[in-house]
Amino acid sequence: MIVESTAPGRGAFGEPVTLLGISGEHSLRSLLRFLVEHEVGLYVAHRERSAILQILTPADLVKGVETGRYGHEPRALPASPVIDGAYARAVEAFDDELYFVFLDDVRIHALDDIIVVEPHSRLRLVRLVALTG
C-alpha cells in the first residue's frame, strides 16, 4: 500500500511511503493504528540517529576547549511519543474531521468501515486547514 499525506494549499502530496504486508480487509481504525506505530517507529529511529553528534556547533567547540573533549556529551532529545497516546490523538482528529482519508480515491467516512487494501492501493491522508477571517 502506498501512503501519501498533504494539506490543502501545499500543491502536491508529500513523499509517498510504501508499506508492505497489510493487504486484505481492515477497518480504518486498524490501519490508523498500524500507521501510528510505523510513524512512531520512524521517529524513534530518527531520535537515535540524532543522538549521535554529527556536527560540532560553536557551543560544542567552546566546551571542547574548556574540557579537552569534543562531542562526547549526550544530546538532549525530546521524549518519544507513547503509541497509545498518539493513536488516540489520530482517532480523535479523524472524529473531529481535522483530516480526511481516501483509499483509491474513495473517501472513508467511518473508523469501523471495512475496506479492502490491495498491494497497489493508495491511501491518502488530507489534513484540513481552518480558514481564518
Side-chain angles (χ1 to χ4, degrees), residues 72-102:
H72 290 285
E73 294 77 26
R75 297 275 183 192
L77 299 173
S80 294
V82 177
I83 289 176
D84 289 336
Y87 169 70
R89 283 190 299 280
V91 167
E92 181 180 7
F94 181 82
D95 286 339
D96 292 344
E97 295 188 338
L98 297 179
Y99 66 96
F100 291 156
V101 178
F102 298 87

mmCIF file of all heavy atoms in Angstrom, residues 72-102:
data_model
loop_
_atom_site.group_PDB
_atom_site.id
_atom_site.type_symbol
_atom_site.label_atom_id
_atom_site.label_comp_id
_atom_site.label_asym_id
_atom_site.label_seq_id
_atom_site.Cartn_x
_atom_site.Cartn_y
_atom_site.Cartn_z
ATOM 1 N N HIS A 72 31.418 14.439 23.247
ATOM 2 C CA HIS A 72 31.132 13.224 23.999
ATOM 3 C C HIS A 72 29.899 13.358 24.885
ATOM 4 O O HIS A 72 29.464 12.382 25.469
ATOM 5 C CB HIS A 72 32.340 12.829 24.859
ATOM 6 C CG HIS A 72 33.476 12.338 24.028
ATOM 7 N ND1 HIS A 72 33.482 11.092 23.452
ATOM 8 C CD2 HIS A 72 34.625 12.930 23.641
ATOM 9 C CE1 HIS A 72 34.601 10.928 22.768
ATOM 10 N NE2 HIS A 72 35.306 12.032 22.860
ATOM 11 N N GLU A 73 29.361 14.547 25.006
ATOM 12 C CA GLU A 73 28.192 14.754 25.848
ATOM 13 C C GLU A 73 26.939 14.316 25.098
ATOM 14 O O GLU A 73 26.795 14.588 23.915
ATOM 15 C CB GLU A 73 28.053 16.228 26.255
ATOM 16 C CG GLU A 73 29.170 16.707 27.156
ATOM 17 C CD GLU A 73 30.471 16.982 26.410
ATOM 18 O OE1 GLU A 73 30.399 17.285 25.196
ATOM 19 O OE2 GLU A 73 31.530 16.857 27.019
ATOM 20 N N PRO A 74 26.038 13.644 25.783
ATOM 21 C CA PRO A 74 24.799 13.239 25.104
ATOM 22 C C PRO A 74 23.941 14.455 24.765
ATOM 23 O O PRO A 74 23.936 15.443 25.485
ATOM 24 C CB PRO A 74 24.103 12.343 26.133
ATOM 25 C CG PRO A 74 24.694 12.732 27.445
ATOM 26 C CD PRO A 74 26.083 13.223 27.172
ATOM 27 N N ARG A 75 23.262 14.355 23.665
ATOM 28 C CA ARG A 75 22.354 15.417 23.236
ATOM 29 C C ARG A 75 21.021 15.285 23.973
ATOM 30 O O ARG A 75 20.525 14.178 24.177
ATOM 31 C CB ARG A 75 22.090 15.307 21.738
ATOM 32 C CG ARG A 75 23.307 15.498 20.897
ATOM 33 C CD ARG A 75 23.497 16.948 20.676
ATOM 34 N NE ARG A 75 24.645 17.136 19.798
ATOM 35 C CZ ARG A 75 25.189 18.305 19.612
ATOM 36 N NH1 ARG A 75 24.708 19.355 20.223
ATOM 37 N NH2 ARG A 75 26.204 18.427 18.821
ATOM 38 N N ALA A 76 20.446 16.414 24.344
ATOM 39 C CA ALA A 76 19.116 16.405 24.958
ATOM 40 C C ALA A 76 18.087 16.217 23.843
ATOM 41 O O ALA A 76 18.059 16.974 22.883
ATOM 42 C CB ALA A 76 18.867 17.709 25.693
ATOM 43 N N LEU A 77 17.285 15.191 23.969
ATOM 44 C CA LEU A 77 16.279 14.885 22.954
ATOM 45 C C LEU A 77 14.900 14.856 23.585
ATOM 46 O O LEU A 77 14.756 14.473 24.749
ATOM 47 C CB LEU A 77 16.557 13.515 22.324
ATOM 48 C CG LEU A 77 17.889 13.361 21.592
ATOM 49 C CD1 LEU A 77 18.088 11.915 21.179
ATOM 50 C CD2 LEU A 77 17.930 14.267 20.382
ATOM 51 N N PRO A 78 13.884 15.248 22.829
ATOM 52 C CA PRO A 78 12.531 15.144 23.371
ATOM 53 C C PRO A 78 12.163 13.682 23.576
ATOM 54 O O PRO A 78 12.696 12.791 22.913
ATOM 55 C CB PRO A 78 11.659 15.788 22.290
ATOM 56 C CG PRO A 78 12.476 15.751 21.048
ATOM 57 C CD PRO A 78 13.912 15.776 21.468
ATOM 58 N N ALA A 79 11.258 13.447 24.484
ATOM 59 C CA ALA A 79 10.823 12.081 24.768
ATOM 60 C C ALA A 79 10.079 11.501 23.573
ATOM 61 O O ALA A 79 9.431 12.216 22.818
ATOM 62 C CB ALA A 79 9.909 12.075 25.993
ATOM 63 N N SER A 80 10.187 10.207 23.416
ATOM 64 C CA SER A 80 9.445 9.521 22.353
ATOM 65 C C SER A 80 7.957 9.563 22.667
ATOM 66 O O SER A 80 7.566 9.435 23.825
ATOM 67 C CB SER A 80 9.872 8.058 22.264
ATOM 68 O OG SER A 80 11.198 7.966 21.848
ATOM 69 N N PRO A 81 7.125 9.725 21.646
ATOM 70 C CA PRO A 81 5.689 9.698 21.910
ATOM 71 C C PRO A 81 5.236 8.298 22.312
ATOM 72 O O PRO A 81 5.817 7.300 21.884
ATOM 73 C CB PRO A 81 5.073 10.109 20.574
ATOM 74 C CG PRO A 81 6.132 9.907 19.559
ATOM 75 C CD PRO A 81 7.449 9.967 20.257
ATOM 76 N N VAL A 82 4.224 8.242 23.129
ATOM 77 C CA VAL A 82 3.632 6.971 23.530
ATOM 78 C C VAL A 82 2.640 6.568 22.433
ATOM 79 O O VAL A 82 1.796 7.368 22.032
ATOM 80 C CB VAL A 82 2.918 7.114 24.891
ATOM 81 C CG1 VAL A 82 2.240 5.823 25.290
ATOM 82 C CG2 VAL A 82 3.898 7.576 25.948
ATOM 83 N N ILE A 83 2.761 5.345 21.958
ATOM 84 C CA ILE A 83 1.944 4.908 20.824
ATOM 85 C C ILE A 83 0.461 5.032 21.127
ATOM 86 O O ILE A 83 -0.313 5.526 20.300
ATOM 87 C CB ILE A 83 2.311 3.474 20.400
ATOM 88 C CG1 ILE A 83 3.696 3.490 19.749
ATOM 89 C CG2 ILE A 83 1.279 2.891 19.446
ATOM 90 C CD1 ILE A 83 4.233 2.141 19.359
ATOM 91 N N ASP A 84 0.039 4.611 22.314
ATOM 92 C CA ASP A 84 -1.396 4.682 22.636
ATOM 93 C C ASP A 84 -1.903 6.115 22.618
ATOM 94 O O ASP A 84 -3.009 6.389 22.147
ATOM 95 C CB ASP A 84 -1.679 4.037 23.996
ATOM 96 C CG ASP A 84 -1.524 2.523 23.955
ATOM 97 O OD1 ASP A 84 -1.642 1.932 22.860
ATOM 98 O OD2 ASP A 84 -1.276 1.935 25.024
ATOM 99 N N GLY A 85 -1.098 7.052 23.117
ATOM 100 C CA GLY A 85 -1.499 8.461 23.104
ATOM 101 C C GLY A 85 -1.555 9.026 21.701
ATOM 102 O O GLY A 85 -2.485 9.763 21.344
ATOM 103 N N ALA A 86 -0.559 8.684 20.880
ATOM 104 C CA ALA A 86 -0.533 9.164 19.500
ATOM 105 C C ALA A 86 -1.703 8.584 18.710
ATOM 106 O O ALA A 86 -2.343 9.282 17.917
ATOM 107 C CB ALA A 86 0.793 8.787 18.848
ATOM 108 N N TYR A 87 -2.017 7.314 18.953
ATOM 109 C CA TYR A 87 -3.148 6.677 18.272
ATOM 110 C C TYR A 87 -4.460 7.337 18.696
ATOM 111 O O TYR A 87 -5.318 7.629 17.855
ATOM 112 C CB TYR A 87 -3.160 5.178 18.583
ATOM 113 C CG TYR A 87 -4.416 4.479 18.148
ATOM 114 C CD1 TYR A 87 -4.692 4.284 16.798
ATOM 115 C CD2 TYR A 87 -5.335 4.012 19.081
ATOM 116 C CE1 TYR A 87 -5.856 3.645 16.399
ATOM 117 C CE2 TYR A 87 -6.493 3.370 18.679
ATOM 118 C CZ TYR A 87 -6.745 3.192 17.348
ATOM 119 O OH TYR A 87 -7.901 2.563 16.949
ATOM 120 N N ALA A 88 -4.603 7.607 19.988
ATOM 121 C CA ALA A 88 -5.827 8.259 20.483
ATOM 122 C C ALA A 88 -5.996 9.639 19.841
ATOM 123 O O ALA A 88 -7.113 10.020 19.471
ATOM 124 C CB ALA A 88 -5.791 8.374 22.007
ATOM 125 N N ARG A 89 -4.901 10.379 19.672
ATOM 126 C CA ARG A 89 -4.986 11.697 19.020
ATOM 127 C C ARG A 89 -5.362 11.556 17.547
ATOM 128 O O ARG A 89 -6.122 12.364 17.003
ATOM 129 C CB ARG A 89 -3.672 12.451 19.178
ATOM 130 C CG ARG A 89 -3.506 13.044 20.568
ATOM 131 C CD ARG A 89 -2.323 13.987 20.661
ATOM 132 N NE ARG A 89 -1.042 13.340 20.376
ATOM 133 C CZ ARG A 89 -0.356 12.596 21.241
ATOM 134 N NH1 ARG A 89 -0.828 12.391 22.444
ATOM 135 N NH2 ARG A 89 0.789 12.057 20.896
ATOM 136 N N ALA A 90 -4.844 10.524 16.877
ATOM 137 C CA ALA A 90 -5.175 10.312 15.466
ATOM 138 C C ALA A 90 -6.652 9.990 15.299
ATOM 139 O O ALA A 90 -7.313 10.506 14.391
ATOM 140 C CB ALA A 90 -4.314 9.183 14.888
ATOM 141 N N VAL A 91 -7.185 9.161 16.189
ATOM 142 C CA VAL A 91 -8.611 8.811 16.138
ATOM 143 C C VAL A 91 -9.460 10.044 16.443
ATOM 144 O O VAL A 91 -10.446 10.324 15.746
ATOM 145 C CB VAL A 91 -8.924 7.652 17.115
ATOM 146 C CG1 VAL A 91 -10.422 7.478 17.308
ATOM 147 C CG2 VAL A 91 -8.279 6.363 16.627
ATOM 148 N N GLU A 92 -9.075 10.794 17.466
ATOM 149 C CA GLU A 92 -9.826 11.998 17.827
ATOM 150 C C GLU A 92 -9.810 13.015 16.683
ATOM 151 O O GLU A 92 -10.836 13.622 16.366
ATOM 152 C CB GLU A 92 -9.240 12.613 19.096
ATOM 153 C CG GLU A 92 -9.969 13.852 19.555
ATOM 154 C CD GLU A 92 -9.373 14.446 20.819
ATOM 155 O OE1 GLU A 92 -8.309 13.992 21.278
ATOM 156 O OE2 GLU A 92 -9.995 15.377 21.348
ATOM 157 N N ALA A 93 -8.665 13.190 16.045
ATOM 158 C CA ALA A 93 -8.567 14.140 14.933
ATOM 159 C C ALA A 93 -9.447 13.693 13.767
ATOM 160 O O ALA A 93 -10.072 14.520 13.101
ATOM 161 C CB ALA A 93 -7.109 14.284 14.491
ATOM 162 N N PHE A 94 -9.527 12.381 13.511
ATOM 163 C CA PHE A 94 -10.410 11.889 12.455
ATOM 164 C C PHE A 94 -11.864 12.159 12.820
ATOM 165 O O PHE A 94 -12.646 12.642 11.994
ATOM 166 C CB PHE A 94 -10.196 10.393 12.209
ATOM 167 C CG PHE A 94 -11.062 9.854 11.115
ATOM 168 C CD1 PHE A 94 -10.687 9.997 9.789
ATOM 169 C CD2 PHE A 94 -12.264 9.229 11.406
ATOM 170 C CE1 PHE A 94 -11.505 9.513 8.771
ATOM 171 C CE2 PHE A 94 -13.081 8.735 10.395
ATOM 172 C CZ PHE A 94 -12.700 8.881 9.067
ATOM 173 N N ASP A 95 -12.231 11.847 14.055
ATOM 174 C CA ASP A 95 -13.603 12.090 14.510
ATOM 175 C C ASP A 95 -13.970 13.567 14.430
ATOM 176 O O ASP A 95 -15.114 13.919 14.137
ATOM 177 C CB ASP A 95 -13.798 11.588 15.944
ATOM 178 C CG ASP A 95 -13.874 10.075 16.031
ATOM 179 O OD1 ASP A 95 -14.165 9.421 15.010
ATOM 180 O OD2 ASP A 95 -13.633 9.543 17.140
ATOM 181 N N ASP A 96 -13.003 14.442 14.681
ATOM 182 C CA ASP A 96 -13.233 15.891 14.613
ATOM 183 C C ASP A 96 -13.104 16.442 13.199
ATOM 184 O O ASP A 96 -13.158 17.646 12.994
ATOM 185 C CB ASP A 96 -12.255 16.618 15.539
ATOM 186 C CG ASP A 96 -12.526 16.360 17.009
ATOM 187 O OD1 ASP A 96 -13.633 15.879 17.341
ATOM 188 O OD2 ASP A 96 -11.621 16.630 17.835
ATOM 189 N N GLU A 97 -12.894 15.549 12.227
ATOM 190 C CA GLU A 97 -12.744 15.905 10.811
ATOM 191 C C GLU A 97 -11.620 16.912 10.572
ATOM 192 O O GLU A 97 -11.736 17.827 9.766
ATOM 193 C CB GLU A 97 -14.064 16.399 10.224
ATOM 194 C CG GLU A 97 -15.129 15.319 10.187
ATOM 195 C CD GLU A 97 -16.375 15.727 9.436
ATOM 196 O OE1 GLU A 97 -16.639 16.940 9.286
ATOM 197 O OE2 GLU A 97 -17.091 14.811 8.999
ATOM 198 N N LEU A 98 -10.502 16.702 11.268
ATOM 199 C CA LEU A 98 -9.322 17.524 11.026
ATOM 200 C C LEU A 98 -8.523 16.998 9.839
ATOM 201 O O LEU A 98 -7.645 17.678 9.327
ATOM 202 C CB LEU A 98 -8.444 17.581 12.277
ATOM 203 C CG LEU A 98 -9.107 18.232 13.490
ATOM 204 C CD1 LEU A 98 -8.166 18.211 14.690
ATOM 205 C CD2 LEU A 98 -9.538 19.658 13.174
ATOM 206 N N TYR A 99 -8.816 15.778 9.434
ATOM 207 C CA TYR A 99 -8.256 15.234 8.202
ATOM 208 C C TYR A 99 -9.244 14.230 7.610
ATOM 209 O O TYR A 99 -10.077 13.681 8.309
ATOM 210 C CB TYR A 99 -6.877 14.589 8.426
ATOM 211 C CG TYR A 99 -6.859 13.357 9.296
ATOM 212 C CD1 TYR A 99 -6.898 12.092 8.733
ATOM 213 C CD2 TYR A 99 -6.786 13.449 10.680
ATOM 214 C CE1 TYR A 99 -6.873 10.949 9.522
ATOM 215 C CE2 TYR A 99 -6.758 12.319 11.476
ATOM 216 C CZ TYR A 99 -6.801 11.070 10.885
ATOM 217 O OH TYR A 99 -6.778 9.945 11.681
ATOM 218 N N PHE A 100 -9.147 14.066 6.288
ATOM 219 C CA PHE A 100 -9.956 13.084 5.577
ATOM 220 C C PHE A 100 -9.042 11.964 5.113
ATOM 221 O O PHE A 100 -7.844 12.171 4.891
ATOM 222 C CB PHE A 100 -10.649 13.698 4.356
ATOM 223 C CG PHE A 100 -11.740 14.681 4.680
ATOM 224 C CD1 PHE A 100 -12.096 15.636 3.754
ATOM 225 C CD2 PHE A 100 -12.423 14.660 5.888
ATOM 226 C CE1 PHE A 100 -13.119 16.549 4.013
ATOM 227 C CE2 PHE A 100 -13.440 15.559 6.166
ATOM 228 C CZ PHE A 100 -13.777 16.504 5.228
ATOM 229 N N VAL A 101 -9.618 10.790 4.941
ATOM 230 C CA VAL A 101 -8.863 9.636 4.474
ATOM 231 C C VAL A 101 -9.531 9.111 3.211
ATOM 232 O O VAL A 101 -10.756 8.949 3.160
ATOM 233 C CB VAL A 101 -8.816 8.522 5.545
ATOM 234 C CG1 VAL A 101 -8.061 7.303 5.018
ATOM 235 C CG2 VAL A 101 -8.178 9.034 6.819
ATOM 236 N N PHE A 102 -8.715 8.865 2.183
ATOM 237 C CA PHE A 102 -9.188 8.316 0.922
ATOM 238 C C PHE A 102 -8.394 7.056 0.617
ATOM 239 O O PHE A 102 -7.170 7.040 0.760
ATOM 240 C CB PHE A 102 -8.974 9.312 -0.231
ATOM 241 C CG PHE A 102 -9.737 10.597 -0.070
ATOM 242 C CD1 PHE A 102 -9.200 11.656 0.647
ATOM 243 C CD2 PHE A 102 -10.993 10.738 -0.631
ATOM 244 C CE1 PHE A 102 -9.903 12.841 0.803
ATOM 245 C CE2 PHE A 102 -11.703 11.927 -0.482
ATOM 246 C CZ PHE A 102 -11.151 12.981 0.236
#
